[in-house]
Amino acid sequence: MSLTSTQIKLVQDSFALVAPIADTAAQLFYGRLFELDPSLRHMFKSDMKEQGRKLMQMLSVAVHALNNLDGIISAVQALGQRHVGYGVTMEHYAIVGDALLWTLEQGLGEAFTPEVKEAWTAVYVLLTQVATANLYPEPA
Ligand code: HEM
């Protein structure tokens, strides 16, 4: 799957709207994630505020690099490898994707149009494919 320049712009512009409320967005995200699957809570050992910052920071790097994905492929692959060590499965990526889209919907309100949702879905699928390539039995 590849991204169109329109999708890239939709994702970058909408991320810019949630970036100022990054801490709140991260809090919403983990709240939703643990609601969707309470069993995931025990996987997170560190301070959740710090964890939320790392997640938003990584998302920010990825979102800004969408025009030049080659530049972050090795970093995303390494991220995916570390996640195997955290006990993360392919199924978890789908749940995290759902929690992420839900969070964007909360943060963006009416700006979360069907086009924006589709663009974020494409970005998340792509990141997941790069992060999980050759690490799990089934394809992403
Ligand atoms: C594209 C999707 C994802 C991104 C951008 C992301 C980002 C991050 C980042 C930046 C960290 C900090 C540590 C590190 O860099 O290794 C981290 C840690 C972690 N992530 Fe993710 N992650 C993603 C998907 C997932 C999924 C699907 C799960 C499954 C529940 C997950 C669970 C965790 C856990 C358990 C930790 C370690 C927490 C701890 O040490 O307490 N992540 N993630």
Side-chain angles (χ1 to χ4, degrees), residues 30 33 40 43-47 51 54-55 58-59 79 82-83 86 88-89 92-94 96 124 127-128 131:
Y30 288 111
L33 185 64
L40 296 181
M43 296 172 77
F44 293 85
K45 316 277 186 210
S46 33
D47 175 61
Q51 175 63 28
K54 286 182 191 165
L55 174 77
M58 184 68 199
L59 275 180
L79 179 82
R82 291 196 296 278
H83 279 66
Y86 303 146
V88 173
T89 65
H92 294 153
Y93 276 92
V96 162
Y124 185 76
L127 282 181
T128 298

Side-chain angles (χ1 to χ4, degrees), residues 77 91 112 122:
Q77 280 172 341
E91 207 179 27
F112 192 68

Side-chain angles (χ1 to χ4, degrees), residues 3 5-6 15 19 22 24 36 40 44 46-48 53 60 66-67 69 73 79 82 94 103 105 115 122 128 139-140:
L3 305 167
S5 52
T6 309
F15 189 77
T24 310
L36 289 174
L40 296 181
F44 293 85
S46 33
D47 175 61
M48 288 314 287
R53 296 226 164 107
S60 168
L66 291 178
N67 284 303
L69 277 175
I73 283 190
L79 179 82
R82 291 196 296 278
T103 304
E105 187 174 7
E115 291 75 23
T128 298

